[in-house]
Amino acid sequence: MNATKTKKFAMAYIVDRCVDCKACMVACKAEWQIPDNDFRTHIDTGIAPAATDRLSMHFLPHQCNHCDDAPCVTVCPTKASHKREDGVVDIDNRKCVGCRYCIPSCPYNARFFNNELGVADKCTFCLPRIYDGLMPACVTTCPGKARVFGDINDPESEISKALKDAADNRYRVWTLRKDLGTEPNIYYIQK
Amino acid sequence: MEFQTGFHWYIAVYLFLAGVGAGSIVVASLADIYDRQKYISFIKAASVIGMPLVTIGILFLYIDLGQGMYKPWLLLLLFVNPTSAIMWGTLILTIFTVLSLLYGVYNLGILDWFIKKMGFVKIFRPIAASRFMNWSLIITGILTAGYTAVLLGVLKAIPFWHQTSLPILFIISASSTGISGAMVVKELFFKEEAHLEKIETTHFYLIMLEILLLIGMLLIALQGVPEMKFSALTLLTGEFAVEFWVFLVLLGLVVPAFVFAFVEAGKMHVSGGKLVFFELLVLVGGYFLRYLILHAGVYTQKFTDYIMIHY
Amino acid sequence: MTKCRISRRRFIQGTASVGAALASMSSFRLLTGGSSAVAEPQQGVTFAQNWCEMCFWKCGLTAKVVNGKVRKLEGQPDCPSNYGKLCAKGNAGVFQLYDPDRLKTPLIRDGERGSGKFRKATWEEAAAYVAQKVNELKEKYGPETFSIFAHGSGEHSFVELVEIIGSPNYCIPSYAQCTGSRDIGWALSYGKPVGGKEPVDSQNSKCMMLLGRNIVEALHVGEMQDFVEGVAKGAHVIYVDPRFTKTAAKANQYMMIKPGTDSALLLGMINYIIEKEIYNKEFVENYTYGFDQFKEHVAGYTVEWASKETEIPQEEIIKAAEKLCEAAPHCYIHPGRRLTRYGNDTQFTRIVACLNMLMGNWEVRGGIYRTIGFKYDAPHMVHFDKPYADRADGAGSEEFPLGPKNLGFANKLMEHIANQDVYPLKGMFVYGCNPLHHHGSTEMVKKALENTELLVTCEIYMTDTAWLSDVIFPESTYLERYDPVISTGRRKGYIQFREPAVSPVFDTKGGWEIAKILSGAMGHENEFLDVQEYNRQAFETLGITEEYMKKHGVWVANENTPYPVEDEGEEPSFRTPSGKAEFYSNICEHFSYPPMPSYEENPVPPEGEFRLLFGRLSFHTHARTQNNAWLLALHKSEVPLWIHTEKAKALGIKDGMSVRLVKEGFKSNPCTARVVDYIHPQAVFLPYGFGHETKGLTRITGKGARTSDFTSNLTDPISGAAGFHNGFVKVEIA
């Protein structure tokens, strides 16, 4: 029997390496020809707390979490939003009626309405680019190498190594809004 | 802080019109069961607005669509995913629209006109006049009004919507605005003398119930998760405070409640133009209820667990 | 619902038609609409090599071209400038290429200056017009009446054109308005300038101290990559700035300094390090000059005094000093980049250099590495006789003997044009820069432009300066032209190659081509090489093939170690008069400048006013990229003005409000208030490059404030470079 397991794509952000330069946002826009005012990935700049003894500012990259139990897939009436075998939550543009219901359904603000195409739009982990042997555009361009991508079912992939390294070193690893049970596939790693 | 921009006012209009339409038909059907002769003017008035408003609401939904608008065959796909509230909603709305159309044309005498032209249409008459019809309309009407809230309520991403009181609130508001809508039409087009005190009493209690439910909902939201609290505060003191206090609370609820309370107590008689005015206030309140709940929900912060990381 | 707007994709589909469709708002638009007919684009996917021109770091990139349209830019993995990475600006180069706001055809002014009325012209017509004017002015005032301000990869095309005309007055503003003082101060200490690619070895550093060098936001990919590597490896980062920047976010120790007192902080640290004898004694003893005098000189600058001056607690200052010494020599104190602050920046750099000397970090890992360049016998694009006249700006004159004649003083030259006090300066060329933004005083520049009888601009966009020009030549962007190959030095020396990814989208030409046309029209017989011919000759000399460069885009030519002191036991040597790193500068002594740096107090803003600090956002370059829709979307077209919470409160300003800067009655366009605790109350911060007047940048005109309307325009007495940060402003609600 064939020993190859199914793929499960995931991404990790090494938060310490993110400097909020927004290169990922623009690379993604160029790769996918996203309308001028929209982005498939974002970096939020957080300032916390307002004024205490120690100032701090942190940067939160985010995009579609490709949830295992994705609310957008649940609520999509036409099954245009669907979860693929390889873990990617994809939108079939041919099926999308553009009802926008999935947009507020996403706890991660990952989706936006693409006014040029009349459909919901979001990150696809750069399908089919990742099957051409390339990394997603955001990973390729990230100057700080904050983004790590790969198949978490493959122990040799960069993401598996990054997660293992984080576990070995007891770095903080978390996902966003775990409380909602969406089982997201974007990991945050911080020393 | 990023704000959702998925739903805009088109959707609020849809939620409102579907509510008014469904509410008026539900109340009219109840009145029909109770005493058709006595409430015939109200039933006719409700029939004028019931199905048309729901249809206009759906039209707003339709023009809000992206490519579905110019590729209407895609709408068939709305029935393929049973986990989506939209699938059930579309089903309910379709049934309700068909039934209320039949009920409306029957009440307004248009059905009889058709029967004169095309004899076979008469097979619909007994259905339209049946108790079965009335009960079907009551059930699908309540489901329609409730669906507009369930649509929002199933989204766990937006805690302010994600509460059981929302469908109840919307059903009550739908009934209340439905009565108002029908009363306006009745005052304008079916001026025959009628004794609608029971409906007015019901209307008063519905408004009081709506006020209480809204208070309860906000009190709970204020103690909720941060996003929920944030949403509630955008209404009470924040971004939407003016619309909330002026259009929803004062004009849409408090003023009509007072007026109808005086009417109930027999200290005041309101009819004609004045009645139309106060009923219109209720309708304005009904629209703002949808609009504000919609926007307070999406206008909130997210990722709070990250923001609260301890450094 | 379909929003009413014009998508980028549709622009790409038919730029010409969209240009015409937009042409309704002004006569300018009518004139710039339309595009040239280009050859049938190649079908399928092809790749072209280039280096990025969105800023000046020269990141190697490969353009992906699909059916004749550039779709994506990606970094060349082997290019030592950026190792395969591109920043937001670099990625947005695609938008710039197809931007309908670009200049699309030569233009000749057809109305009052500033009216924005231009008429379309053919290249021949525009060149003939310029040639006639130039020859008239030359006849009337002499050839030295021309000046050129130039910046960018093609700068030498126009510089050499002006030299052919016979004028020595060419300026590269990156000296006087950016790195001049720093490079002179560094050279006085170490015998060579810092250089455009700062040789600070962040990736191996154990401790880095940055004084307002906001690496993360004034972003150059390679430099920032090194910094992030260093941070990830656990270096101790000390960041000093009146404002908590994104670089501060990555620092272990952030010190909010009172603006204008950086020298005091460093002198206090130097005093402490010398007193405690925790400096690198071996290095100081063997490889430096004048330490004993210096020790005596700084004896008065105690930590206590420094703390008082800078408003930084003593413990923090001591901690910084100790952290540096613990890490020495694998540490550095960053010499800065744009060091045009208070008009005494050369001496400030001297202090930075002295502190670095105490660390003994010369050419070792984690310190200051040796820039590995690559020199070869490069061909010449054009041969000409050097002009004989003296420069008007005083660079290299008795007043400024250290001023480099090959870069010039852009600030002083512009002043002399405004005042016409040296000799008549009546003709001005501007290539790729925007004097109305990068000078310290817009008023002075405007006066200079008024005195100019011929103003010729070569640009890709209708900048503020282009808007006031007499003739505008539209240049092809870097993705549409060849340029002579360049040799770049960082830890390796490498050759970079640029070839067009697509034919010009509009009726534009490369800078060298334009210079050639103009030179010919003026009747000069100098032969310009074709750029491709230049490259062929260069490749022959280099011993590489064009095919190799077309494939890789970059050729690493020199891989000598950048850490010779550490790796090869080489003795540190310096091209100073003493042959050592100089605490006591012999050159300064020779020219009667203070040989050792002292603390100079800078003026403090009066009550009710703020010191205007300005700098870059990580996604904009100078005043060049602000109109790029992809980059504008990153900040939703808002121009922030940072102001301290308490001060804002007193003025009634709330976060997000629309505010204006005011100076002597002049008011800026509205900015968006960022009311924060993490800026020093004496200062406000404004990102550079907004507040455009031109009507040609449709997305950004009138938004935000232009820094040059409010800055000071001081002159450093040694380097001659400018000082901008003594500009004091008021803030009011718009």
Side-chain angles (χ1 to χ4, degrees):
Chain A
M1 197 183 141
N2 199 331
T4 47
K5 280 167 82 179
T6 41
K7 285 183 193 301
K8 186 177 180 189
F9 289 116
M11 194 180 283
Y13 307 128
I14 301 170
V15 177
D16 310 275
R17 284 177 163 272
C18 178
V19 294
D20 198 14
C21 73
K22 320 249 192 225
C24 48
M25 294 174 69
V26 184
C28 172
K29 186 190 274 294
E31 180 76 35
W32 292 102
Q33 297 187 287
I34 307 291
D36 289 350
N37 292 319
D38 297 310
F39 294 97
R40 283 185 175 183
T41 182
H42 298 260
I43 309 178
D44 287 359
T45 315
I47 288 118
T52 54
D53 52 343
R54 202 181 151 198
L55 290 164
S56 80
M57 188 188 285
H58 44 258
F59 313 126
L60 176 75
H62 60 94
Q63 68 196 63
C64 173
N65 277 257
H66 298 276
C67 307
D68 289 348
D69 186 2
C72 55
V73 173
T74 309
V75 305
C76 176
T78 67
K79 293 194 176 176
S81 289
H82 58 282
K83 177 89 175 168
R84 287 164 47 110
E85 286 248 303
D86 56 12
V88 176
V89 172
D90 194 16
I91 304 173
D92 184 343
N93 278 358
R94 291 166 309 175
K95 288 189 187 171
C96 177
V97 289
C99 73
R100 302 163 201 252
Y101 194 29
C102 53
I103 295 170
S105 84
C106 175
Y108 307 102
N109 251 4
R111 290 176 169 244
F112 62 91
F113 194 74
N114 186 324
N115 281 304
E116 287 181 7
L117 303 176
V119 297
D121 201 331
K122 71 167 192 76
C123 158
T124 59
F125 271 162
C126 273
L127 285 170
R129 196 182 147 101
I130 48 173
Y131 281 103
D132 293 342
L134 297 167
M135 281 287 160
C138 56
V139 177
T140 304
T141 209
C142 179
K145 295 185 185 164
R147 288 169 177 257
V148 184
F149 174 80
D151 171 13
I152 39 172
N153 285 344
D154 172 10
E156 292 307 307
S157 70
E158 285 197 37
I159 181 142
S160 297
K161 286 186 201 156
L163 289 172
K164 186 173 181 303
D165 178 59
D168 291 347
N169 291 298
R170 297 184 169 276
Y171 297 152
R172 223 168 83 73
V173 179
W174 76 97
T175 52
L176 290 180
R177 297 306 307 264
K178 236 186 154 95
D179 55 316
L180 292 174
T182 50
E183 293 171 58
N185 284 304
I186 302 269
Y187 297 89
Y188 292 77
I189 301 175
Q190 190 171 34
K191 275 184 191 172
Chain B
M1 218 182 287
E2 288 284 329
F3 298 110
Q4 285 281 5
T5 50
F7 283 174
H8 23 64
W9 65 272
Y10 284 53
I11 300 290
V13 170
Y14 154 66
L15 298 180
F16 168 66
L17 292 180
V20 178
S24 65
I25 292 290
V26 168
V27 176
S29 289
L30 281 167
D32 195 342
I33 294 168
Y34 195 74
D35 187 342
R36 184 175 171 88
Q37 280 326 103
K38 186 175 173 189
Y39 296 113
I40 189 66
S41 61
F42 183 85
I43 294 169
K44 280 186 180 170
S47 299
V48 170
I49 57 167
M51 183 267 178
L53 285 190
V54 174
T55 311
I56 295 168
I58 294 172
L59 201 68
F60 268 90
L61 200 61
Y62 176 68
I63 60 169
D64 190 52
L65 286 182
Q67 65 170 359
M69 191 172 69
Y70 48 88
K71 294 179 186 167
W73 58 92
L74 287 176
L75 296 179
L76 290 174
L77 291 170
L78 289 176
F79 297 101
V80 301
N81 188 2
T83 64
S84 174
I86 287 186
M87 179 197 134
W88 296 104
T90 314
L91 208 60
I92 291 166
L93 273 166
T94 312
I95 296 171
F96 178 77
T97 312
V98 172
L99 292 182
S100 58
L101 174 67
L102 185 56
Y103 185 60
V105 294
Y106 160 66
N107 288 332
L108 295 171
I110 302 170
L111 191 63
D112 290 337
W113 183 80
F114 266 109
I115 290 170
K116 273 182 217 153
K117 299 268 168 195
M118 293 174 284
F120 71 93
V121 181
K122 69 173 183 263
I123 54 164
F124 292 112
R125 203 170 188 284
I127 306 174
S130 67
R131 280 283 173 274
F132 170 77
M133 184 65 168
N134 290 334
W135 283 112
S136 302
L137 282 171
I138 291 164
I139 293 166
T140 52
I142 288 175
L143 287 176
T144 300
Y147 159 68
T148 59
V150 171
L151 177 75
L152 306 181
V154 295
L155 303 183
K156 60 185 167 189
I158 296 179
F160 190 63
W161 299 345
H162 198 49
Q163 33 180 338
T164 325
S165 54
L166 197 68
I168 304 173
L169 181 68
F170 273 32
I171 290 168
I172 291 172
S173 168
S175 311
S176 160
T177 49
I179 292 173
S180 295
M183 288 302 252
V184 170
V185 176
K186 191 208 121 275
E187 284 297 320
L188 295 179
F189 302 108
F190 303 97
K191 282 186 184 152
E192 61 258 46
E193 194 60 31
H195 297 278
L196 304 178
E197 290 80 8
K198 282 226 165 69
I199 289 179
E200 279 169 9
T201 308
T202 313
H203 197 187
F204 170 66
Y205 286 118
L206 285 171
I207 291 174
M208 293 310 291
L209 212 54
E210 191 179 336
I211 293 174
L212 291 174
L213 207 55
L214 193 63
I215 292 171
M217 194 176 144
L218 286 168
L219 284 177
I220 290 171
L222 283 173
Q223 301 303 318
V225 294
E227 296 99 318
M228 204 177 191
K229 186 179 170 184
F230 188 95
S231 293
L233 286 174
T234 55
L235 295 183
L236 296 173
T237 57
E239 188 76 16
F240 305 114
V242 175
E243 288 105 316
F244 176 77
W245 290 110
V246 175
F247 292 104
L248 174 55
V249 176
L250 186 69
L251 298 179
L253 293 171
V254 175
V255 170
F258 264 101
V259 172
F260 294 146
F262 279 113
V263 173
E264 281 307 303
K267 296 194 174 157
M268 200 164 142
H269 181 71
V270 183
S271 67
K274 278 189 209 155
L275 183 67
V276 169
F277 174 74
F278 291 117
E279 301 289 9
L280 283 176
L281 282 188
V282 175
L283 288 171
V284 168
Y287 171 72
F288 273 93
L289 180 77
R290 304 320 193 276
Y291 169 83
L292 289 170
I293 285 184
L294 197 69
H295 280 74
V298 292
Y299 193 83
T300 184
Q301 60 187 27
K302 294 201 170 186
F303 314 115
T304 46
D305 58 345
Y306 186 87
I307 288 160
M308 288 187 292
I309 281 176
H310 178 69
Y311 273 85
Chain C
M1 188 183 78
T2 28
K3 278 192 183 162
C4 186
R5 67 167 168 203
I6 295 146
S7 75
R8 196 183 71 81
R9 188 161 312 152
R10 277 164 216 144
F11 276 127
I12 294 177
Q13 278 164 3
T15 324
S17 59
V18 173
L22 272 174
S24 58
M25 291 168 72
S26 72
S27 55
F28 155 68
R29 287 277 188 67
L30 275 167
L31 289 168
T32 52
S35 77
S36 63
V38 285
E40 196 60 26
Q42 199 182 342
Q43 296 303 299
V45 180
T46 55
F47 295 91
Q49 306 299 339
N50 217 307
W51 68 82
C52 187
E53 196 77 27
M54 294 301 280
C55 85
F56 304 96
W57 190 256
K58 302 185 174 74
C59 293
L61 65 82
T62 306
K64 182 182 175 190
V65 186
V66 181
N67 298 337
K69 303 283 176 195
V70 176
R71 288 289 298 271
K72 186 83 194 302
L73 307 174
E74 282 185 15
Q76 294 160 352
D78 302 325
C79 179
S81 295
N82 56 319
Y83 289 108
K85 305 297 186 179
L86 287 182
C87 68
K89 299 167 275 182
N91 275 297
V94 183
F95 182 88
Q96 177 180 281
L97 176 61
Y98 296 109
D99 189 348
D101 273 0
R102 271 182 60 187
L103 294 167
K104 303 181 182 101
T105 163
L107 297 173
I108 298 174
R109 184 163 59 83
D110 201 16
E112 285 293 295
R113 263 198 194 155
S115 67
K117 289 203 178 105
F118 292 94
R119 64 184 163 88
K120 262 192 204 175
T122 61
W123 286 91
E124 295 72 29
E125 193 186 354
Y129 181 91
V130 170
Q132 193 203 338
K133 284 272 182 187
V134 163
N135 290 340
E136 275 172 31
L137 290 176
K138 194 170 166 181
E139 190 73 21
K140 200 166 161 195
Y141 302 111
E144 67 278 8
T145 197
F146 296 100
S147 56
I148 164 79
F149 298 85
H151 195 206
S153 291
E155 66 195 21
H156 274 280
S157 57
F158 269 69
V159 166
E160 298 188 4
L161 172 69
V162 168
E163 287 188 283
I164 290 169
I165 296 172
S167 173
N169 292 315
Y170 57 94
C171 287
I172 310 295
S174 56
Y175 173 83
Q177 277 131 0
C178 192
T179 60
S181 295
R182 178 199 73 171
D183 279 348
I184 295 292
W186 201 253
L188 288 171
S189 316
Y190 287 116
K192 66 174 182 185
V194 181
K197 296 222 174 355
E198 291 76 1
V200 289
D201 199 30
S202 308
Q203 59 180 0
N204 298 311
S205 192
K206 295 196 172 125
C207 184
M208 309 173 229
M209 181 168 181
L210 312 158
L211 295 120
R213 173 65 197 127
N214 187 2
I215 288 183
V216 165
E217 285 181 282
L219 186 159
H220 300 126
V221 172
E223 189 186 17
M224 193 264 267
Q225 279 175 314
D226 288 359
F227 176 73
V228 173
E229 285 308 319
V231 169
K233 283 185 196 166
H236 184 83
V237 180
I238 304 161
Y239 187 71
V240 185
D241 199 314
R243 180 176 70 108
F244 191 90
T245 63
K246 288 179 184 173
T247 308
K250 296 284 151 190
N252 306 66
Q253 195 185 347
Y254 166 68
M255 300 194 262
M256 185 183 281
I257 193 167
K258 180 179 152 190
T261 63
D262 303 43
S263 310
L265 171 69
L266 292 182
L267 288 167
M269 286 168 67
I270 287 171
N271 173 291
Y272 180 84
I273 288 167
I274 294 177
E275 284 290 305
K276 295 279 171 197
E277 299 193 10
I278 49 176
Y279 55 89
N280 187 331
K281 291 198 186 97
E282 198 242 324
F283 184 86
V284 168
E285 250 162 58
N286 298 318
Y287 307 110
T288 66
Y289 175 83
F291 177 69
D292 293 333
Q293 285 146 293
F294 186 64
K295 184 178 173 180
E296 206 174 301
H297 178 75
V298 298
Y301 298 126
T302 63
V303 171
E304 197 190 346
W305 164 84
S307 171
K308 222 190 238 159
E309 286 294 319
T310 60
E311 299 176 0
I312 298 171
Q314 289 188 40
E315 318 82 77
E316 288 287 319
I317 300 176
I318 291 169
K319 185 179 161 196
E322 284 180 346
K323 283 280 180 189
L324 278 170
C325 291
E326 275 166 29
H330 308 292
C331 67
Y332 69 78
I333 298 91
H334 201 291
R337 186 166 175 99
R338 179 182 65 79
L339 209 71
T340 49
R341 295 177 183 162
Y342 308 109
N344 48 22
D345 306 293
T346 306
Q347 290 291 19
F348 170 69
T349 309
R350 289 271 298 126
I351 303 176
V352 177
C354 290
L355 184 51
N356 275 303
M357 286 176 211
L358 293 174
M359 299 299 120
N361 57 7
W362 192 250
E363 292 176 356
V364 296
R365 277 186 180 69
I368 311 289
Y369 66 78
R370 175 185 292 180
T371 300
I372 303 299
F374 181 71
K375 286 212 174 86
Y376 71 104
D377 189 14
H380 293 276
M381 280 298 289
V382 62
H383 288 275
F384 53 90
D385 298 324
K386 277 278 169 193
Y388 59 86
D390 282 337
R391 296 188 62 99
D393 57 10
S397 70
E398 251 174 56
E399 195 189 354
F400 293 105
L402 299 175
K405 288 186 177 184
N406 62 340
L407 299 171
F409 296 161
N411 52 342
K412 305 309 278 179
L413 183 59
M414 193 62 84
E415 265 174 57
H416 292 312
I417 299 172
N419 299 332
Q420 296 288 325
D421 53 357
V422 182
Y423 45 70
L425 290 157
K426 297 292 188 185
M428 190 193 294
F429 290 85
V430 175
Y431 172 90
C433 62
N434 196 351
L436 281 162
H437 281 258
H438 63 73
H439 280 263
S441 160
T442 322
E443 214 177 310
M444 181 266 287
V445 176
K446 283 198 169 156
K447 197 172 157 209
L449 298 187
E450 269 165 34
N451 287 338
T452 303
E453 291 177 24
L454 176 68
L455 173 55
V456 180
T457 300
C458 179
E459 251 298 345
I460 59 169
Y461 277 123
M462 184 60 90
T463 61
D464 279 354
T465 308
W467 187 246
L468 299 177
S469 298
D470 301 315
V471 183
I472 305 170
F473 290 103
E475 200 186 15
S476 298
T477 64
Y478 61 106
L479 294 168
E480 303 161 299
R481 68 180 203 235
Y482 284 100
D483 258 332
V485 290
I486 50 168
S487 168
T488 315
R490 282 192 84 207
R491 288 189 193 84
K492 292 170 181 169
Y494 49 105
I495 301 292
Q496 291 181 272
F497 173 64
R498 168 176 287 169
E499 61 180 341
V502 288
S503 328
V505 176
F506 305 106
D507 185 13
T508 60
K509 294 180 193 297
W512 283 105
E513 238 179 305
I514 301 171
K516 182 181 175 177
I517 293 172
L518 285 174
S519 163
M522 290 170 200
H524 300 289
E525 283 167 0
N526 309 52
E527 286 283 337
F528 280 72
L529 272 188
D530 180 68
V531 177
Q532 277 180 279
E533 176 56 30
Y534 174 100
N535 285 347
R536 269 192 286 278
Q537 290 182 17
F539 293 144
E540 203 169 301
T541 316
L542 291 163
I544 51 172
T545 61
E546 189 167 347
E547 286 65 48
Y548 181 90
M549 291 310 275
K550 275 183 178 296
K551 188 158 177 233
H552 298 273
V554 62
W555 178 56
V556 176
N558 186 349
E559 295 196 83
N560 291 343
T561 174
Y563 318 108
V565 173
E566 193 175 1
D567 288 355
E568 289 167 1
E570 204 181 292
E571 296 263 317
S573 65
F574 303 93
R575 281 193 291 175
T576 53
S578 62
K580 293 183 171 183
E582 296 194 347
F583 284 110
Y584 184 96
S585 166
N586 286 304
I587 295 178
C588 281
E589 188 190 23
H590 177 80
F591 288 115
S592 314
Y593 302 129
M596 287 181 294
S598 307
Y599 181 59
E600 291 170 51
E601 223 167 306
N602 291 311
V604 173
E607 192 56 38
E609 293 191 10
F610 300 91
R611 184 187 294 278
L612 176 66
L613 302 178
F614 65 91
R616 274 161 64 175
L617 300 170
S618 47
F619 35 82
H620 281 305
T621 300
H622 297 179
R624 298 159 60 95
T625 61
Q626 281 72 9
N627 196 44
N628 188 308
W630 289 5
L631 300 176
L632 268 178
L634 293 170
H635 56 110
K636 300 186 171 67
S637 305
E638 270 183 9
V639 183
L641 180 83
W642 295 38
I643 182 166
H644 188 266
T645 315
E646 291 300 315
K647 296 281 181 176
K649 211 173 175 184
L651 292 167
I653 295 170
K654 292 201 182 85
D655 192 60
M657 260 187 182
S658 189
V659 292
R660 292 179 200 278
L661 293 184
V662 185
K663 187 183 184 183
E664 288 153 17
F666 178 82
K667 291 180 183 183
S668 77
N669 294 317
C671 308
T672 308
R674 277 278 161 280
V675 177
V676 292
D677 290 319
Y678 40 89
I679 185 165
H680 193 281
Q682 268 186 10
V684 290
F685 172 84
L686 177 73
Y688 177 79
F690 291 93
H692 296 266
E693 285 177 72
T694 159
K695 299 278 187 307
L697 302 174
T698 55
R699 303 175 198 95
I700 198 67
T701 293
K703 285 187 184 146
R706 179 163 62 188
T707 53
S708 53
D709 288 327
F710 300 95
T711 47
S712 60
N713 192 23
L714 308 165
T715 306
D716 185 285
I718 304 176
S719 70
F724 296 138
H725 286 193
N726 276 352
F728 301 138
V729 295
K730 286 187 181 130
V731 178
E732 64 170 40
I733 297 169

